[in-house]
Amino acid sequence: MKMIRFLLLGIFFGIILTKGQIVSWYRIYEMFQFDNFHMYGVIGSAVVLGAIFVAISKKRNAKAMNGEPFQLITYPKGWKRYLIGGTIFGLGWAMTGACPGPLFILIGNGYMTVFLAIAGAILGTMVYAMLRGKLPH
């Protein structure tokens, strides 16, 4: 029963992203061309809302779904991992026209060629797992 809630939440999230044109290749193209504020507004709003929800969760001592205390992982400061990881993520986003979440939404919208991008994402994840110990973290 718990999984059905997640499935329904995922479908709702997909509808919202589709109606908001977040999964539109043209919107992403406009973003990378710096022609339109749409995607920057959506991403900026998500960052601000995420920060607010994290602050509220900390203040109220929120618990995870399994009842354990909600904890944020803190990483040591550094710029290499963000530069390298962000560049790889951005290149993949630019090449496929979607980041990982919207890839599945695009399948729901009938774009079956996205399975190739998902296969590439899985392959990239496997390569990362093999090289993880050699990369800056």
Side-chain angles (χ1 to χ4, degrees):
M1 195 65 178
K2 186 187 280 185
M3 299 305 278
I4 290 175
R5 288 187 317 187
F6 292 124
L7 177 65
L8 293 176
L9 187 62
I11 290 171
F12 178 71
F13 186 64
I15 291 170
I16 295 293
L17 291 186
T18 300
K19 292 295 183 186
Q21 299 181 353
I22 307 307
V23 296
S24 167
W25 183 88
Y26 295 106
R27 289 291 183 191
I28 295 167
Y29 179 77
E30 287 175 340
M31 178 184 73
F32 283 116
Q33 294 290 318
F34 299 104
D35 285 341
N36 196 327
F37 183 75
H38 183 88
M39 290 296 288
Y40 296 110
V42 170
I43 293 169
S45 299
V47 169
V48 169
L49 285 174
I52 290 170
F53 284 123
V54 167
I56 291 171
S57 297
K58 281 182 173 179
K59 190 170 186 167
R60 292 185 172 194
N61 295 323
K63 294 187 179 189
M65 291 182 59
N66 60 3
E68 293 181 13
F70 178 68
Q71 294 179 342
L72 292 176
I73 300 170
T74 55
Y75 293 98
K77 292 184 178 183
W79 56 271
K80 286 182 184 176
R81 64 176 176 263
Y82 298 114
L83 181 65
I84 295 169
T87 300
I88 293 171
F89 183 84
L91 286 172
W93 193 3
M95 287 191 308
T96 61
C99 60
L103 286 176
F104 294 99
I105 296 168
L106 288 170
I107 288 173
N109 281 290
Y111 298 100
M112 295 302 154
T113 55
V114 175
F115 278 112
L116 291 173
I118 290 174
I122 291 170
L123 179 65
T125 302
M126 293 169 66
V127 170
Y128 170 75
M130 289 187 299
L131 299 175
R132 185 168 189 229
K134 298 175 183 170
L135 297 172
H137 286 94

